[in-house]
Amino acid sequence: MLYALICTDKAGALQTRLDNRADHIEFLKGLGDSLKAAGPFLDDDGNMTGSLVVIEAANRDEILAISQEDPYARAGLFESVEIRPWNWAIKNPEVN
């Protein structure tokens, strides 16, 4: 099943994001084919304010464990993380 991680940064935490960005990206690359999409949310000025990450996992426990290992989560970047099952219905490259 696919899960969307909807992560909102703490106010004033841009430097925490920047300091941990390289490790976060390497972590995501390490997920291999289970990572389906990822990228930052932006404010109107183009500053990063959160993340959207879509990962395939067996169940909610697995996705929760993955989310807690993210270097951003370990650094305390996020104010909140919402985990929602997601159905990739349109333009899914894995569906004919």
Side-chain angles (χ1 to χ4, degrees):
M1 173 172 282
L2 295 178
Y3 291 88
L5 303 174
I6 303 164
C7 310
T8 302
D9 293 359
K10 291 178 181 173
L14 181 58
Q15 192 59 52
T16 300
R17 175 177 278 276
L18 296 174
D19 291 346
N20 292 279
R21 186 166 172 75
D23 290 340
H24 166 73
I25 291 172
E26 285 304 310
F27 171 78
L28 292 178
K29 287 179 181 178
L31 295 175
D33 291 340
S34 66
L35 177 68
K36 302 304 179 184
F41 290 113
L42 306 174
D43 66 15
D44 290 340
D45 296 322
N47 297 307
M48 295 177 283
T49 61
S51 299
L52 172 64
V53 182
V54 179
I55 300 171
E56 186 172 23
N59 54 52
R60 187 173 192 78
D61 290 340
E62 182 181 344
I63 197 67
L64 179 61
I66 291 168
S67 73
Q68 292 171 341
E69 291 299 314
D70 186 327
Y72 279 169
R74 289 180 168 257
L77 173 63
F78 300 130
E79 177 71 28
S80 65
V81 176
E82 183 178 358
I83 298 174
R84 298 179 67 177
W86 186 64
N87 179 24
W88 194 347
I90 306 297
K91 292 196 175 188
N92 182 339
E94 295 179 5
V95 175
N96 293 329

